[in-house]
Amino acid sequence: GPRRPNAAAQTMRGAWAAARLARSVGVPSPLLRSAAAVARRAAPAAERRLASSKSGGGTKKAAAKAEPAAKPATAAADAASSEASSAAGPGGAGPTAKVSQASNRGPVSWPSLMLLLGVGVGVLGYFQYERQRRKAIAGRKTTGTGRPLLGGPYSLVDHHGRPFGSKDLEGQYSLLYFGFTYCPDICPNELVKMGQVIDMLDKQKDLPAVQPVLISVDPHRDTVAQMRAYVEDFHPRMVGLTGTPDQVGRAAKAFRVFFQEVDREEDDDDYVVDHSIVMYLMDPQGKLVDFFPQLVEPQEISERIAGHIRSELGLDRWDPAGLFARMFGGGKATSTRAKVPLAAAPKDE
């Protein structure tokens, strides 16, 4: 009958053919090297079978059967090893060498560190932008028709002890704030902001002066002397107004300002006053133009006030002659920078 091929020889020839096929389709060299190692481990087994048959006195026929199995095994192992080496490229710098080089690097490379730093800076910048955007939205003026019915006649006393009412602010723009001198933090911050706004507006020579005013919501403690010492710390042109509880109540009601003494007992001067935190811009006729909650920044307040004034006075239209006259005092527009005619401080006798 036909001669049966040796099984070991067939296996080794198959391994050699598989190595060449894997080489042609681009199998990575580490896998080829693994196949070569398997073939090399199979070759000694065939050789041991040949040696055992010779030393045991086996027949020449058995030795002849074992010898062909060993030769193809060794040839297949060598072929697989050669294919793996050629796949690695010249110098043996294949994927295994690259993996070895990568393993020698540290856990964090410079590019990854710079990428991490860039992402951190980007996230921080985004949060800062979002914070400013939310503050701008919170303080943005709501567009509508008409003006809120805020403001009205009131009569108080200024920080020099002279009568002072809403009529004394007519003919000029004014910026009003309701607070009290014993306020621990909010009122001082808002009054500092008001002073900054007034300074920004004063630098714009084409604009009329805006009068800053503080109206007390704590008539029990905010005396004339207390108001005089307090307003001087924030702006030299600031006017401080106080009065009786009824007078202060009517002024606050005209502007719909909420205020309430908290935990005050009779004859107790250690208390605080909750109140609205808003600045009001009034026009020369005593009507409300705009208002600014606590979160609006000084720069935005000054820009909005300047925009209102320029729009209402027509200063936003291009007029070179009028602009020159306003800036250098040669026109009638400079008369709009008149300040509140404060009464002189009473002399000590």
Side-chain angles (χ1 to χ4, degrees), residues 274-327:
D274 286 344
H275 61 89
S276 304
I277 308 172
V278 182
M279 294 184 193
Y280 302 91
L281 176 64
M282 311 301 292
D283 68 7
Q285 290 74 40
K287 297 180 180 179
L288 179 71
V289 177
D290 201 353
F291 61 92
F292 312 99
Q294 181 182 9
L295 294 179
V296 187
E297 296 294 335
Q299 183 65 37
E300 182 180 349
I301 296 177
S302 64
E303 291 175 356
R304 285 166 59 175
I305 292 177
H308 286 304
I309 295 177
R310 288 193 173 97
S311 177
E312 294 188 7
L313 299 183
L315 303 180
D316 53 348
R317 294 189 294 269
W318 175 242
D319 181 12
L323 178 62
F324 182 85
R326 288 190 297 270
M327 293 182 62

XYZ file of all heavy atoms in Angstrom, residues 274-327:
437
model
N -31.146 94.426 58.836
C -31.266 93.821 57.507
C -31.908 94.821 56.557
O -32.900 95.479 56.907
C -32.133 92.562 57.573
C -31.405 91.389 58.210
O -30.161 91.458 58.313
O -32.067 90.421 58.622
N -31.365 94.932 55.346
C -31.915 95.908 54.419
C -31.572 95.520 52.981
O -30.707 94.662 52.731
C -31.358 97.315 54.714
C -29.874 97.421 54.582
N -29.248 97.739 53.400
C -28.883 97.218 55.497
C -27.933 97.758 53.593
N -27.682 97.445 54.854
N -32.245 96.149 52.049
C -31.982 95.917 50.626
C -30.596 96.457 50.267
O -30.135 97.457 50.820
C -33.042 96.608 49.768
O -34.343 96.176 50.141
N -29.948 95.793 49.308
C -28.595 96.184 48.890
C -28.668 96.587 47.424
O -28.409 95.780 46.521
C -27.596 95.038 49.115
C -27.690 94.514 50.545
C -26.178 95.489 48.812
C -26.874 93.270 50.801
N -29.021 97.825 47.179
C -29.221 98.318 45.822
C -28.785 99.778 45.748
O -29.010 100.542 46.691
C -30.702 98.210 45.393
C -30.882 98.693 43.946
C -31.209 96.784 45.524
N -28.167 100.151 44.630
C -27.893 101.557 44.320
C -28.909 102.041 43.291
O -29.256 101.293 42.361
C -26.474 101.738 43.767
C -25.371 101.435 44.744
S -23.747 101.795 44.001
C -22.672 101.000 45.193
N -29.356 103.284 43.448
C -30.369 103.848 42.560
C -29.793 105.069 41.848
O -29.303 105.991 42.503
C -31.617 104.257 43.352
C -32.248 103.126 44.129
C -31.868 102.869 45.451
C -33.230 102.321 43.556
C -32.446 101.834 46.164
C -33.813 101.285 44.276
C -33.412 101.043 45.576
O -33.984 100.016 46.296
N -29.904 105.073 40.524
C -29.503 106.234 39.736
C -30.743 107.070 39.433
O -31.685 106.581 38.808
C -28.832 105.802 38.433
C -28.453 106.935 37.465
C -27.406 107.845 38.075
C -27.967 106.357 36.129
N -30.734 108.333 39.872
C -31.864 109.238 39.681
C -31.476 110.332 38.696
O -30.337 110.814 38.696
C -32.283 109.855 41.016
C -32.473 108.849 42.153
S -33.705 107.585 41.814
C -35.198 108.585 41.809
N -32.437 110.735 37.863
C -32.160 111.789 36.889
C -32.402 113.169 37.508
O -32.828 113.267 38.670
C -33.005 111.584 35.631
C -34.497 111.797 35.861
O -34.891 112.244 36.969
O -35.291 111.515 34.944
N -32.121 114.256 36.796
C -32.297 115.598 37.368
C -33.734 115.940 37.748
O -33.961 116.887 38.503
C -31.797 116.519 36.250
C -30.819 115.692 35.487
C -31.387 114.321 35.508
N -34.711 115.177 37.270
C -36.108 115.403 37.647
C -36.539 114.541 38.832
O -37.713 114.548 39.219
C -37.033 115.126 36.459
C -36.940 116.145 35.336
C -35.670 115.988 34.513
O -35.240 114.863 34.220
N -35.053 117.107 34.176
N -35.611 113.786 39.405
C -35.924 112.946 40.544
C -36.582 111.628 40.174
O -37.194 110.980 41.037
N -36.451 111.200 38.925
C -37.029 109.945 38.484
C -35.937 108.879 38.349
O -34.791 109.182 38.018
C -37.742 110.123 37.139
C -38.932 111.080 37.208
C -39.597 111.212 35.852
C -40.782 112.172 35.916
N -41.435 112.317 34.583
N -36.338 107.631 38.594
C -35.380 106.536 38.537
C -34.938 106.282 37.096
O -35.749 106.204 36.181
C -36.000 105.258 39.108
C -35.111 104.013 39.078
C -33.982 104.138 40.088
C -35.934 102.756 39.359
N -33.622 106.152 36.918
C -33.053 105.826 35.612
C -32.620 104.369 35.556
O -32.905 103.646 34.607
C -31.851 106.741 35.299
C -31.218 106.356 33.961
C -32.269 108.191 35.298
N -31.936 103.906 36.593
C -31.426 102.535 36.623
C -31.122 102.182 38.070
O -31.030 103.055 38.945
C -30.166 102.412 35.763
C -29.879 100.979 35.341
O -30.571 100.060 35.828
O -28.961 100.776 34.515
N -30.964 100.897 38.333
C -30.568 100.445 39.668
C -29.555 99.325 39.525
O -29.502 98.626 38.511
C -31.788 99.984 40.481
C -32.525 98.821 39.879
C -32.208 97.518 40.227
C -33.544 99.032 38.959
C -32.880 96.445 39.672
C -34.224 97.969 38.405
C -33.893 96.666 38.754
N -28.735 99.139 40.577
C -27.597 98.235 40.499
C -27.542 97.367 41.760
O -27.243 97.871 42.846
C -26.298 99.024 40.351
C -26.376 100.089 39.285
C -26.613 101.414 39.629
C -26.244 99.759 37.956
C -26.693 102.392 38.665
C -26.329 100.730 36.969
C -26.558 102.057 37.322
N -27.827 96.063 41.634
C -27.719 95.159 42.791
C -26.273 94.979 43.236
O -25.335 95.518 42.635
C -28.322 93.853 42.276
C -29.104 94.222 41.056
C -28.406 95.406 40.466
N -26.108 94.177 44.258
C -24.808 94.035 44.905
C -23.746 93.433 43.998
O -22.569 93.805 44.083
C -24.955 93.176 46.169
C -23.672 92.980 46.958
C -23.872 92.085 48.168
O -24.931 91.477 48.327
N -22.868 91.997 49.018
N -24.110 92.510 43.117
C -23.110 91.779 42.338
C -22.574 92.540 41.138
O -21.654 92.058 40.470
C -23.707 90.445 41.862
C -24.039 89.425 42.955
C -24.628 88.172 42.346
C -22.812 89.097 43.786
N -23.105 93.697 40.835
C -22.624 94.450 39.675
C -21.298 95.124 40.033
O -21.176 95.776 41.078
C -23.661 95.498 39.228
C -23.234 96.148 37.922
C -25.028 94.860 39.077
N -20.319 94.978 39.149
C -18.985 95.521 39.393
C -18.948 97.030 39.120
O -19.763 97.552 38.343
C -17.961 94.822 38.502
C -17.796 93.330 38.782
C -17.215 93.063 40.156
O -16.528 93.960 40.682
O -17.448 91.975 40.698
N -18.010 97.766 39.767
C -17.923 99.224 39.566
C -17.762 99.635 38.113
O -18.357 100.624 37.673
C -16.704 99.618 40.409
C -16.566 98.556 41.433
C -17.044 97.295 40.778
N -16.953 98.892 37.348
C -16.733 99.254 35.954
C -18.034 99.212 35.166
O -18.327 100.127 34.373
C -15.708 98.295 35.333
C -15.343 98.622 33.888
C -14.618 99.952 33.759
O -13.820 100.310 34.620
N -14.900 100.680 32.694
N -18.827 98.182 35.377
C -20.096 98.081 34.663
C -21.064 99.171 35.095
O -21.786 99.737 34.268
C -20.721 96.710 34.877
C -22.024 96.528 34.112
C -22.651 95.163 34.328
O -21.984 94.281 34.902
O -23.817 94.975 33.920
N -21.087 99.489 36.388
C -21.983 100.552 36.865
C -21.626 101.880 36.212
O -22.496 102.612 35.722
C -21.911 100.666 38.400
C -22.424 99.379 39.049
C -22.726 101.858 38.892
C -22.317 99.380 40.569
N -20.332 102.216 36.187
C -19.920 103.492 35.596
C -20.240 103.534 34.104
O -20.659 104.571 33.573
C -18.422 103.726 35.830
O -17.650 102.746 35.161
N -20.052 102.429 33.414
C -20.351 102.399 31.983
C -21.844 102.573 31.726
O -22.250 103.296 30.800
C -19.856 101.082 31.381
C -18.338 100.955 31.333
C -17.886 99.591 30.845
O -18.781 98.726 30.613
O -16.665 99.377 30.694
N -22.657 101.933 32.533
C -24.105 102.059 32.346
C -24.587 103.467 32.673
O -25.440 104.034 31.965
C -24.829 101.011 33.190
C -24.720 99.614 32.602
C -25.114 98.518 33.562
N -26.482 98.633 34.056
C -27.057 97.717 34.840
N -26.375 96.638 35.204
N -28.293 97.871 35.248
N -24.057 104.045 33.738
C -24.446 105.416 34.083
C -24.027 106.381 32.981
O -24.805 107.250 32.557
C -23.832 105.819 35.435
C -24.476 105.013 36.577
C -24.019 107.319 35.681
C -23.867 105.299 37.939
N -22.788 106.249 32.514
C -22.311 107.129 31.445
C -23.154 106.965 30.192
O -23.468 107.950 29.502
C -20.841 106.829 31.148
N -23.551 105.725 29.889
C -24.386 105.497 28.721
C -25.749 106.154 28.847
O -26.261 106.755 27.888
N -26.351 106.059 30.046
C -27.653 106.699 30.273
C -27.542 108.218 30.110
O -28.383 108.851 29.452
C -28.168 106.373 31.670
C -28.671 104.966 31.816
N -29.650 104.433 31.009
C -28.329 103.979 32.693
C -29.895 103.180 31.369
N -29.100 102.888 32.387
N -26.523 108.782 30.715
C -26.389 110.249 30.684
C -26.141 110.734 29.262
O -26.763 111.703 28.797
C -25.267 110.698 31.636
C -25.632 110.363 33.089
C -25.004 112.188 31.486
C -24.553 110.695 34.090
N -25.247 110.077 28.553
C -24.945 110.503 27.186
C -26.176 110.357 26.286
O -26.421 111.190 25.409
C -23.782 109.686 26.626
C -22.437 110.036 27.236
C -21.292 109.444 26.436
N -20.008 109.909 26.925
C -19.232 109.247 27.767
N -19.624 108.065 28.221
N -18.083 109.740 28.169
N -26.929 109.302 26.510
C -28.116 109.106 25.690
C -29.185 110.163 25.973
O -29.782 110.713 25.036
C -28.683 107.703 25.937
O -29.868 107.491 25.206
N -29.420 110.462 27.250
C -30.477 111.415 27.595
C -30.088 112.852 27.264
O -30.952 113.674 26.941
C -30.811 111.287 29.077
C -31.446 109.946 29.430
C -31.955 109.911 30.865
O -31.932 110.979 31.521
O -32.369 108.830 31.319
N -28.810 113.168 27.329
C -28.363 114.528 27.018
C -27.928 114.689 25.572
O -27.541 115.787 25.166
C -27.207 114.930 27.946
C -27.518 114.958 29.445
C -26.306 115.443 30.226
C -28.726 115.830 29.745
N -27.980 113.611 24.803
C -27.558 113.699 23.407
C -26.069 113.769 23.233
O -25.583 114.166 22.165
N -25.308 113.380 24.238
C -23.850 113.458 24.139
C -23.265 112.312 23.335
O -22.065 112.321 23.034
C -23.231 113.462 25.543
C -23.711 114.585 26.476
C -23.023 114.464 27.827
C -23.421 115.939 25.852
N -24.099 111.310 23.021
C -23.585 110.189 22.249
C -23.558 110.490 20.758
O -23.038 109.700 19.977
C -24.424 108.935 22.504
C -25.908 109.176 22.269
O -26.305 110.351 22.128
O -26.673 108.187 22.240
N -24.116 111.626 20.342
C -24.054 112.031 18.941
C -22.755 112.787 18.677
O -22.264 113.528 19.532
C -25.261 112.912 18.583
C -26.591 112.157 18.642
C -27.716 113.002 18.066
N -27.969 114.181 18.878
C -28.850 114.202 19.885
N -29.532 113.117 20.203
N -29.039 115.307 20.568
N -22.201 112.607 17.501
C -20.915 113.210 17.168
C -21.086 114.714 16.974
O -21.790 115.184 16.092
C -20.353 112.574 15.905
C -19.091 113.223 15.415
C -18.900 113.857 14.236
C -17.836 113.287 16.103
N -17.609 114.310 14.135
C -16.923 113.973 15.271
C -17.390 112.822 17.342
C -15.616 114.211 15.629
C -16.072 113.052 17.703
C -15.202 113.742 16.859
N -20.448 115.471 17.863
C -20.514 116.932 17.813
C -19.149 117.463 18.214
O -18.883 117.722 19.396
C -21.605 117.442 18.756
C -21.736 118.961 18.712
O -21.141 119.576 17.799
O -22.422 119.522 19.586
N -18.215 117.621 17.276
C -16.854 118.035 17.637
C -16.800 119.360 18.377
O -16.082 119.509 19.365
C -16.144 118.119 16.279
C -16.955 117.280 15.354
C -18.370 117.388 15.836
N -17.603 120.340 17.938
C -17.559 121.649 18.601
C -18.074 121.560 20.028
O -17.490 122.109 20.968
C -18.375 122.661 17.787
N -19.197 120.848 20.196
C -19.743 120.711 21.546
C -18.830 119.925 22.463
O -18.689 120.241 23.648
N -18.199 118.889 21.922
C -17.268 118.104 22.725
C -16.088 118.954 23.174
O -15.673 118.894 24.343
C -16.779 116.897 21.910
C -15.761 115.984 22.585
C -16.367 115.355 23.831
C -15.294 114.902 21.615
N -15.542 119.770 22.274
C -14.425 120.639 22.634
C -14.856 121.635 23.713
O -14.121 121.894 24.673
C -13.937 121.383 21.383
C -12.752 122.266 21.638
C -11.471 121.752 21.615
C -12.921 123.614 21.921
C -10.370 122.561 21.857
C -11.830 124.430 22.160
C -10.547 123.909 22.130
N -16.084 122.164 23.569
C -16.564 123.140 24.547
C -16.763 122.509 25.911
O -16.436 123.103 26.945
C -17.871 123.757 24.042
N -17.276 121.277 25.939
C -17.510 120.624 27.228
C -16.201 120.252 27.913
O -16.070 120.322 29.131
C -18.379 119.381 27.025
C -19.831 119.691 26.693
C -20.675 118.432 26.746
N -20.263 117.442 25.761
C -20.749 117.376 24.516
N -21.638 118.267 24.125
N -20.334 116.443 23.690
N -15.225 119.833 27.123
C -13.969 119.375 27.700
C -13.112 120.527 28.211
O -12.398 120.387 29.208
C -13.184 118.557 26.675
C -13.831 117.230 26.304
S -12.842 116.283 25.122
C -11.352 116.017 26.089
